[in-house]
Amino acid sequence: MTKNIAVIKGDGIGPEIVTEATKVLDKVGDKFGHTFNYTQLLMGGCSIDANGVPLTEETIAACKSSDAVLMGSIGGDTTTSPWYKLPPNFRPEAGLLGIRKALGLFANLRPCHLYKELSGACPLKTEISSKGFDMLIMRELTGGLYFGERKTEEVNGVMTATDTLVYSEEEIRRIAVKAFDVAMKRRKKVISVDKVNVLDSSRLWRKVITEVAKDYPEVTLEHMLVDNCAMQLVKNPAQFDVMVTENMFGDILSDEASMITGSIGMLPSASMNETKFGLYEPSGGSAPDIAGQNKANPIATILSAAMMLRYSFDMTKEADAVESAVSKALADGCRTGDIMSEGMIRLSCSEMGDKISELI
Ligand code: NAD
């Protein structure tokens, strides 16, 4: 199979970590008989330097005409970089919001997997962390409180602020379908998180999710209130497979879940539209403090590339091969600085990419 991948290396550690991910993809191509063609594109700070804007129409068009997008990270040091003296619409992050909007990416997928080799980095009690966990949080990305109408006004002499939380049936249905489709590729369990005891939007959310579940008889559905979910994540994270939730709940819960996995350098992510098209990127930022030093952990980006294989290209055994090569590298004691512990072998970013490629 031949796949065309738009590659946005971006800023800071972006070029280093993406180079390792394409190294791994090329090894997958050799081993399984696929060709991956890459189109290198600029976005973020490097695009500001080259084009005066963080995102160009050419970059958007090239992404749209590709099969998927692989991204590193964008942005620089927010206190010292000249990019942050520009008006907000011209800063690196505006590129990120712009590309998500232009590509219609409404579903954010964040797997949180605690590898048993890294369980020491998990801040939970050993009796909980030793069981490990492997969940995927599916967050609705373009609706809800963050996109509703808002205003601040004086009412009877008192300053009053209003934010509105709006969800349509269609918006809920398309994220529900995505969540159940992903659950079919995992352990076939969906936990939908809402606040049905208070919010109308949650009552509609629960109704639509329950309707969609009827089309997926193999998948078990549970509903959980968001406050309980925040507690369950630290009490019994192993119970979660796919968690689906609205924008703000997902924002908060996915950060809580990432904390209990230890290092940001291990966390992949994907943002998808209704089709199989997606943008794949590590959850972390551009890490300007270690950029250009060949120190960054490339695993989050390599695992993001594995998600691309699984969800955009339906290459299940290829994705499994990448994920098990990562597990094997960790089991062999290979570590980058951010996940280093006593007695382990410290590797650079490129050495970690070489090691994972060798293990495929
Ligand atoms: P950050 O995630 O870049 O860094 C936080 C800490 O984590 C740093 O100590 C960094 O060295 C470490 N870290 C992050 N990724 C790592 C990796 N792969 N390997 C080893 N260590 C890693 O967050 P920040 O410092 O708050 O932000 C830096 C810049 O990144 C800002 O400009 C911010 O806006 C941008 N940012 C971009 C994205 C994105 O591209 N999607 C996401 C978050 C932040």
Side-chain angles (χ1 to χ4, degrees):
M1 219 183 271
T2 298
K3 292 290 176 188
N4 298 316
I5 303 173
V7 176
I8 298 171
K9 289 188 171 175
D11 309 315
I13 59 169
E16 299 161 58
I17 55 184
V18 172
T19 299
E20 299 317 308
T22 53
K23 186 188 278 177
V24 169
L25 282 174
D26 288 338
K27 182 65 190 289
V28 168
D30 286 349
K31 177 137 190 217
F32 293 89
H34 304 302
T35 304
F36 298 115
N37 298 320
Y38 307 110
T39 306
Q40 303 290 340
L41 301 168
L42 294 181
M43 197 185 92
C46 54
S47 176
I48 296 174
D49 293 344
N51 308 310
V53 287
L55 176 64
T56 61
E57 288 303 324
E58 290 73 36
T59 292
I60 294 174
C63 288
K64 281 186 175 167
S65 63
S66 65
D67 295 309
V69 184
L70 179 66
M71 199 173 94
S73 46
I74 52 111
D77 186 317
T78 48
T79 47
T80 58
S81 164
W83 298 328
Y84 296 92
K85 303 216 166 18
L86 296 166
N89 279 357
F90 289 90
R91 291 180 193 170
E93 287 71 16
L96 199 55
L97 296 178
I99 195 101
R100 283 184 182 146
K101 190 161 180 235
L103 300 176
L105 306 173
F106 66 85
N108 182 241
L109 286 66
R110 271 225 231 168
C112 292
H113 181 177
L114 181 65
Y115 290 86
K116 76 174 181 311
E117 293 81 8
L118 301 182
S119 63
C122 173
L124 302 178
K125 281 186 184 161
T126 316
E127 68 230 48
I128 300 171
S129 62
S130 61
K131 284 191 217 151
F133 53 82
D134 180 8
M135 71 182 92
L136 184 146
I137 301 185
M138 168 104 42
R139 165 188 171 193
E140 202 290 328
L141 209 53
T142 57
L145 206 52
Y146 297 172
F147 290 88
E149 236 174 83
R150 69 192 76 238
K151 61 182 175 197
T152 304
E153 62 193 338
E154 206 174 294
V155 179
N156 299 329
V158 180
M159 287 309 288
T160 306
T162 309
D163 295 287
T164 44
L165 200 178
V166 183
Y167 269 109
S168 72
E169 252 181 289
E170 284 74 24
E171 284 173 307
I172 303 170
R173 183 161 287 109
R174 64 184 186 175
I175 186 98
V177 167
K178 212 70 187 170
F180 283 96
D181 282 347
V182 165
M184 286 298 289
K185 295 192 171 205
R186 293 178 47 101
R187 300 194 305 279
K188 300 190 172 66
K189 179 176 173 186
V190 169
I191 294 185
S192 170
V193 177
D194 60 39
K195 187 72 183 165
V196 79
N197 49 347
V198 178
L199 300 174
D200 264 32
S201 57
S202 283
R203 282 189 272 276
L204 184 62
W205 180 275
R206 195 175 278 209
K207 178 175 171 282
V208 175
I209 298 269
T210 307
E211 279 166 19
V212 172
K214 291 183 187 136
D215 296 332
Y216 297 85
E218 287 176 57
V219 180
T220 313
L221 171 66
E222 277 177 37
H223 300 280
M224 193 178 274
L225 293 176
V226 62
D227 33 0
N228 183 29
C229 182
M231 293 189 281
Q232 293 300 325
L233 268 176
V234 290
K235 194 173 163 213
N236 180 15
Q239 71 186 290
F240 294 99
D241 176 21
V242 174
M243 178 198 299
V244 61
T245 190
E246 61 94 55
N247 201 344
M248 185 178 67
F249 296 161
D251 186 10
I252 298 167
L253 294 171
S254 61
D255 271 11
E256 184 187 357
S258 67
M259 258 316 289
I260 57 175
T261 57
S263 170
I264 189 83
M266 297 293 300
L267 294 171
S269 85
S271 300
M272 302 189 75
N273 65 17
E274 276 104 340
T275 69
K276 289 188 182 296
F277 184 86
L279 181 150
Y280 297 84
E281 56 173 326
S283 295
S286 59
D289 52 333
I290 54 165
Q293 299 171 39
N294 199 15
K295 273 186 185 170
N297 185 347
I299 292 179
T301 319
I302 290 169
L303 291 173
S304 301
M307 291 181 80
M308 173 188 291
L309 296 172
R310 191 179 301 285
Y311 297 117
S312 282
F313 303 161
D314 280 326
M315 294 181 182
T316 306
K317 57 182 189 311
E318 292 83 342
D320 289 345
V322 175
E323 287 166 2
S324 52
V326 168
S327 296
K328 181 80 174 38
L330 295 173
D332 287 353
C334 298
R335 302 284 189 273
T336 42
D338 58 318
I339 52 172
M340 187 61 194
S341 59
E342 219 185 310
M344 299 294 126
I345 309 152
R346 183 188 285 263
L347 299 187
S348 66
C349 179
S350 55
E351 286 167 340
M352 184 61 98
D354 289 340
K355 176 77 187 176
I356 293 167
S357 301
E358 270 165 33
L359 290 168
I360 286 175

